[in-house]
Amino acid sequence: MEFNIALLKGDGIGPEIVESAAAVLKKIAVKFGHKFNFTPYLIGGCAIDAAGKPLPQETVDGCLASDSVLLGAVGGPKWDDQPGENRPEKALLGIRSALGLYTNLRPASLFPALRDASPLKDEIIGDGFDIMIVRELTGGIYFGDRGYREGKYGSEAYDTEAYSVTEIERIGRVAFDTAMKRSKRLTSVDKANVLESSRLWRKTMHALAEEYPEVEYGDMFVDNAAMQLVRNPRQFDVIVTSNMFGDILSDEASQITGSIGMLASASLGASSRGMYEPIHGSAPDIAGQNKANPIATILSGAMMLRYSFGLSAEANAIEAAVNKVLSDGWRTADLLGGGKGTPITCTEMTEKILEAI
Ligand code: IPM
Ligand code: MG
């Protein structure tokens, strides 16, 4: 089969990890007899430098014309003083919205070889965990009304969390359907004891739960969920939550898998076109040093094959190769967590995975 893939390398370690993942996809294409055409577009700080804005129209058009998008990461200290509207991060929210990608799947599971990299005790890890975080991606406080106004203590800044029944229902359906395909357990995370938007979220989820009697459904407050993730991650299967809570909880969930450098994500909407990106950021502190862990981006490439192209055997081949390389003991610096052992570089890790495929 032939597919056109837009590459949004972005900033910091973005170019290194996207090139690694593209190399892996090319290898898969050769091995399985497909053709993947890659076209790079600018996004984030590099787009500000080259075109004066973080999300050029050409990038949006290029992504819309492609079958799927692979993204690295955006942002860095160089652009921290940009006004809110022109920040690199705004481009990421903008492209998600422009492509209608309201669902963000963030799988957090433990590769057995990485048990020692997890900060959790052996008895908490047990026989491992496998959590799917379903994060709402185009609504809530990241997209709500914001600005400055006069308040009780003078000038103040504000952001607004707003969710409609329609938005909650559509992400809720994805979550219930996902749960049906897994172990049929779903936890909806909110802050319904305080937030009105969360009370609507909960009410809407409860109505949906009636349609899915086979799914064992539960609500959890976000503060409790943050605690439960490290106390007993094995209680979770699918978690559905809002944009901001999902952003925060997925970083937490990633660390218990060993490193934030491991977590892939798929952003999906109504069409088969998705955007695939690691959940981590641009790591400007290690950019250009060949130290980054490319695995989250490589696994995001596997998710692209599975979710957008329907190529499960190919996706499995990537995941098996990552598993083999980790089982053989190869580690990038983040996976050693300051512990013993010699780290390999981003390119070496990529080579090992290519060999294993
Ligand atoms: C993520 C990131 C982004 C987000 C930032 C960079 C805008 O943290 O993908 O988790 O908040 O979604
Ligand atoms: Mg995040």
Side-chain angles (χ1 to χ4, degrees):
M1 296 175 82
E2 181 169 355
F3 293 103
N4 297 319
I5 301 171
L7 292 184
L8 309 186
K9 296 181 189 176
D11 310 313
I13 58 169
E16 305 161 50
I17 55 178
V18 168
E19 274 150 33
S20 293
V24 168
L25 289 173
K26 278 179 198 152
K27 176 86 191 240
I28 289 289
V30 171
K31 184 172 162 133
F32 289 85
H34 303 300
K35 190 159 188 272
F36 299 149
N37 309 310
F38 298 97
T39 315
Y41 296 96
L42 294 172
I43 192 167
C46 61
I48 297 176
D49 291 347
K53 47 186 169 192
L55 184 58
Q57 188 57 40
E58 196 194 337
T59 299
V60 177
D61 294 342
C63 291
L64 282 168
S66 70
D67 295 310
S68 247
V69 183
L70 184 66
L71 180 130
V74 296
K78 185 176 175 195
W79 306 283
D80 274 350
D81 294 334
Q82 290 283 336
E85 281 309 299
N86 214 44
R87 281 186 68 101
E89 292 81 359
K90 190 79 187 173
L92 187 47
L93 301 184
I95 191 74
R96 288 171 180 166
S97 179
L99 299 178
L101 307 173
Y102 59 84
T103 298
N104 188 212
L105 301 179
R106 299 191 156 189
S109 62
L110 185 75
F111 279 90
L114 289 185
R115 266 189 103 88
D116 290 346
S118 172
L120 298 184
K121 289 199 188 88
D122 228 33
E123 61 262 35
I124 293 179
I125 296 175
D127 58 1
F129 50 85
D130 179 4
I131 303 168
M132 179 64 90
I133 299 181
V134 180
R135 171 190 178 193
E136 199 291 326
L137 202 60
T138 51
I141 196 164
Y142 290 10
F143 288 88
D145 184 33
R146 73 192 60 198
Y148 283 82
R149 64 187 170 200
E150 279 312 302
K152 198 166 146 200
Y153 301 102
S155 175
E156 64 181 20
Y158 66 95
D159 300 272
T160 322
E161 173 91 346
Y163 268 113
S164 63
V165 172
T166 306
E167 290 172 295
I168 303 167
E169 259 176 13
R170 82 183 169 183
I171 193 69
R173 270 193 204 287
V174 174
F176 276 99
D177 289 338
T178 305
M180 284 299 288
K181 290 186 211 130
R182 293 169 52 104
S183 75
K184 302 195 173 139
R185 283 182 298 129
L186 175 64
T187 310
S188 170
V189 172
D190 63 34
K191 187 70 185 173
N193 49 349
V194 177
L195 303 177
E196 205 55 53
S197 52
S198 277
R199 285 190 275 274
L200 182 65
W201 179 282
R202 193 175 277 212
K203 190 174 155 209
T204 309
M205 288 294 169
H206 283 197
L208 271 181
E210 303 275 308
E211 293 181 35
Y212 294 85
E214 281 177 62
V215 174
E216 195 186 307
Y217 173 90
D219 305 298
M220 197 178 277
F221 294 135
V222 64
D223 44 354
N224 185 27
M227 182 270 280
Q228 296 294 341
L229 266 174
V230 289
R231 192 188 75 93
N232 175 18
R234 286 189 299 144
Q235 72 187 283
F236 295 108
D237 183 39
V238 180
I239 293 176
V240 63
T241 191
S242 64
N243 203 340
M244 180 160 69
F245 295 161
D247 186 20
I248 298 169
L249 291 179
S250 59
D251 268 36
E252 188 189 1
S254 74
Q255 188 55 46
I256 64 173
T257 72
S259 164
I260 193 168
M262 292 298 298
L263 233 74
S265 90
S267 303
L268 307 167
S271 80
S272 65
R273 184 193 316 105
M275 188 163 84
Y276 297 82
E277 54 175 304
I279 78 148
H280 60 69
S282 59
D285 53 323
I286 56 161
Q289 297 173 34
N290 201 12
K291 281 186 187 163
N293 181 355
I295 294 180
T297 318
I298 291 171
L299 292 175
S300 299
M303 290 185 88
M304 175 188 291
L305 299 180
R306 178 173 294 121
Y307 289 98
S308 283
F309 303 161
L311 302 175
S312 339
E314 289 81 342
N316 292 342
I318 295 179
E319 287 157 359
V322 168
N323 195 24
K324 168 156 198 316
V325 171
L326 293 173
S327 304
D328 288 349
W330 301 107
R331 302 281 185 272
T332 42
D334 57 307
L335 293 172
L336 292 170
K340 286 198 212 68
T342 314
I344 59 171
T345 63
C346 178
T347 39
E348 283 165 341
M349 178 57 91
T350 309
E351 285 301 324
K352 299 277 172 213
I353 294 169
L354 290 173
E355 277 163 34
I357 291 171

